[in-house]
Amino acid sequence: MTAVPPVVPRVVVVDDNTVVRRAFGVVHEGLDVVASHATVEEYLAAPAPCDVVLLDLRLRGAGGAVGPMQGRPAIRALTDLGRRVCLYTDESRPLVLALCLRSGAHGVAHKSDPPELVTEAVRRVAQGDVVVTPSLVELTEVLDRRAALDLTDRQRDTVAGRARGRSWRDIARSLHITESVAREHYSAACTKLRDFLQGASAADIERALGIGPDDVLGAG
């Protein structure tokens, strides 16, 4: 039987911005921030148990220098430890975020999102869902049109609705289903996206997206 996640997810914040680290738990009252660190290395040195690691995609060292572990290597290090990772970032380029899902991230939340949306994203990641941004929803549509994801009709309809900014209520009404069922279809589509990105080779992904060999993904 699958364990029921806690009502208030335990979160570790990894962000090089001191203000973000200090204020995140205050602004997002529905989350329990159990620790915060400026680098992934700090957390790995003393990894507090948690349900989600909220990870800034780009971490800077002292004086603005690029830190030794960030991006995909940081995601892999945290998931190897058994942690669920939700990115907390300003990055919006679909292929960059797709690579993060490919590396094991469970979700993406933007720093510009309202606190309630970030809180919801973290809760869903804690529950094992895959959470994607609107830019990745559009990528899901592209891959589905190229027959890479094998979405059902309902999954396709909910993805199309979210890609166009429609509310859950509007989508559910048009499909004659409940909002919770609409969310389930959407979550299943997001999971298929992540599974495809993690299971396919770089060449398969490039082919599905219609780009040239090694244009974006390289050999990673």
Side-chain angles (χ1 to χ4, degrees):
M1 182 176 178
T2 303
V4 177
V7 175
V8 180
R10 299 166 300 168
V11 179
V12 168
V13 177
V14 180
D15 197 300
D16 58 359
N17 188 313
T18 303
V19 174
V20 171
R21 294 197 306 275
R22 291 179 177 175
F24 188 86
V26 176
V27 175
H28 302 83
E29 297 179 349
L31 304 174
D32 179 16
V33 177
V34 297
S36 62
H37 300 277
T39 67
V40 173
E41 289 87 345
E42 283 184 13
Y43 176 63
L44 294 178
C50 65
D51 302 298
V52 177
V53 174
L54 197 74
L55 175 67
D56 188 6
L57 187 57
R58 291 185 176 83
L59 299 170
R60 299 285 176 176
V66 176
M69 186 181 294
Q70 61 175 323
R72 286 184 287 166
I75 294 169
R76 293 191 186 104
L78 292 168
T79 55
D80 286 347
L81 194 64
R83 301 297 189 260
R84 292 192 177 105
V85 176
C86 182
L87 298 180
Y88 189 50
T89 180
D90 294 319
E91 178 61 66
S92 61
R93 289 173 293 176
L95 288 177
V96 174
L97 299 177
L99 285 172
C100 292
L101 290 181
R102 176 178 168 82
S103 297
H106 285 74
V108 182
H110 287 300
K111 292 185 176 182
S112 59
D113 288 340
E116 60 271 19
L117 292 185
V118 175
T119 298
E120 179 186 4
V122 173
R123 283 176 174 166
R124 288 176 55 197
V125 169
Q127 294 168 358
D129 290 342
V130 178
V131 180
V132 303
T133 63
S135 58
L136 280 175
V137 173
E138 294 171 5
L139 180 62
T140 304
E141 281 197 303
V142 171
L143 289 171
D144 182 52
R145 285 197 297 269
R146 294 178 178 272
L149 299 185
D150 191 28
L151 300 183
T152 67
D153 289 341
R154 281 288 186 261
Q155 291 166 0
R156 190 173 294 113
D157 290 339
T158 55
V159 166
R162 294 303 288 173
R164 287 151 186 79
R166 294 173 62 191
S167 68
W168 290 115
R169 182 178 182 181
D170 185 31
I171 293 171
R173 184 188 298 115
S174 66
L175 297 178
H176 306 290
I177 57 178
T178 65
E179 289 186 39
S180 62
V181 171
R183 290 174 184 269
E184 289 174 4
H185 286 308
Y186 179 75
S187 178
C190 294
T191 299
K192 286 183 178 180
L193 170 64
R194 189 191 64 175
D195 290 347
F196 169 76
L197 293 171
Q198 291 183 347
S201 68
D204 288 338
I205 296 173
E206 288 169 338
R207 191 178 305 111
L209 293 174
I211 58 181
D214 297 329
D215 277 353
V216 178
L217 301 182

